[in-house]
Amino acid sequence: MELEYRDRHILAPMVRVGTLPFRMLASEYGADITYGEEIVDHKIIKCQRQINESLGTIDFVEKGTGSVVFRTCDAERCRVVFQIGTSDAVRALTAAQLLCKDVAAIDINMGCPKSFSVSGGMGAALLTKPDLINDILTTLKRNLDIPVTCKIRLLPSSHNTVELAKRIEKTGVSALAVHGRKVADRPRDPAQWDKIADVVAALSIPVIANGDVFDYEDFQRIKSASSVMVARGAVWNASIFKPEGKLPWESVKREYIRKSILWDNDVKSTKHTLKEMIMHHSSLELAEGKAMIRSATLANLAELYGEESYYWFVNGINGC
């Protein structure tokens, strides 16, 4: 089934946050589409697909190290988007073909401004290489049976952004996500929704607006776009997707911990997400923050947040 990109509320791709537990949490609260964290093509190409019968998951495990690079499950098959960091069409295709049967769509990251991505010719570095963009996207479109999309940032001028977006549309992608900031902008700089509206007006494919979505009402405010994508607002409280309003962040945090236990999430990833929540709502210098940082395992986190019984139940341990 073709993924629907219009009138969708979407969880943005976020490194170390967008793992299976957080994606499942967001979808439980109402996210229609959930993007996984960006994974570089070199990394996924080194992986082997494995069925994890104990968890009921599909794991892509790095050969040699045994570390899980990407974990998914049948329950999210119809909505999870795998985002690739790449600078080469052949590598991108090789990576996509490894997991295209287990995800709803493939997305190419063309907006990350971090030095790791840019120095490798990935992310925002692609914005100045339209021929390479065309090569990557057309190669994927010709060889995959699932939707292909990409995510960009604003260019220095609205005209240049629109022209690039038009060229991307001609590759046959199913949708285009636009982060309403330029490469040099920082998160504190306001997202320019009006510049995204210029792209919407110029294209016929769905345009997904991203930037400064912190409440459910913001989904409705960005009316010009086909759909709206949320990043930080979801990290701080994933129940932002609930039409009736957000739940207390403490409740959301506890549910995230339970899902991390259920899906055996990497403890470093879990702690990173908890850190982002705590820094926004409280302080890492208080007792909770310090204890969370000291926690070395999911069992430690379960004890810290009063979820020992749940941890014992999931792992088949006698807690008596």
Side-chain angles (χ1 to χ4, degrees), residues 188-239:
R188 64 179 177 272
D189 298 316
Q192 300 179 62
W193 292 350
D194 58 325
K195 299 296 191 298
I196 299 177
D198 292 339
V199 177
V200 176
L203 303 189
S204 59
I205 61 171
V207 175
I208 304 165
N210 175 217
D212 291 352
V213 179
F214 303 118
D215 294 290
Y216 188 85
E217 291 71 24
D218 292 331
F219 287 119
Q220 314 306 316
R221 288 171 57 201
I222 314 178
K223 294 180 179 178
S224 63
S226 306
S227 294
V228 179
M229 176 181 279
V230 55
R232 287 178 296 161
V235 179
W236 297 339
N237 191 322
S239 65

Side-chain angles (χ1 to χ4, degrees), residues 158-214:
S158 183
H159 171 76
N160 289 342
T161 304
V162 168
E163 288 304 306
L164 177 62
K166 287 180 178 179
R167 182 159 184 175
I168 288 172
E169 181 179 38
K170 289 179 180 178
T171 67
V173 294
S174 298
L176 171 66
V178 182
H179 186 144
R181 292 183 175 87
K182 300 170 186 174
V183 174
D185 291 341
R186 301 277 71 86
R188 64 179 177 272
D189 298 316
Q192 300 179 62
W193 292 350
D194 58 325
K195 299 296 191 298
I196 299 177
D198 292 339
V199 177
V200 176
L203 303 189
S204 59
I205 61 171
V207 175
I208 304 165
N210 175 217
D212 291 352
V213 179
F214 303 118

Side-chain angles (χ1 to χ4, degrees), residues 38 40 85-87 109 111-125:
E38 175 200 18
V40 175
T86 188
S87 61
N109 184 341
C112 180
K114 295 183 178 179
S115 59
F116 171 79
S117 286
V118 175
S119 63
M122 303 177 292

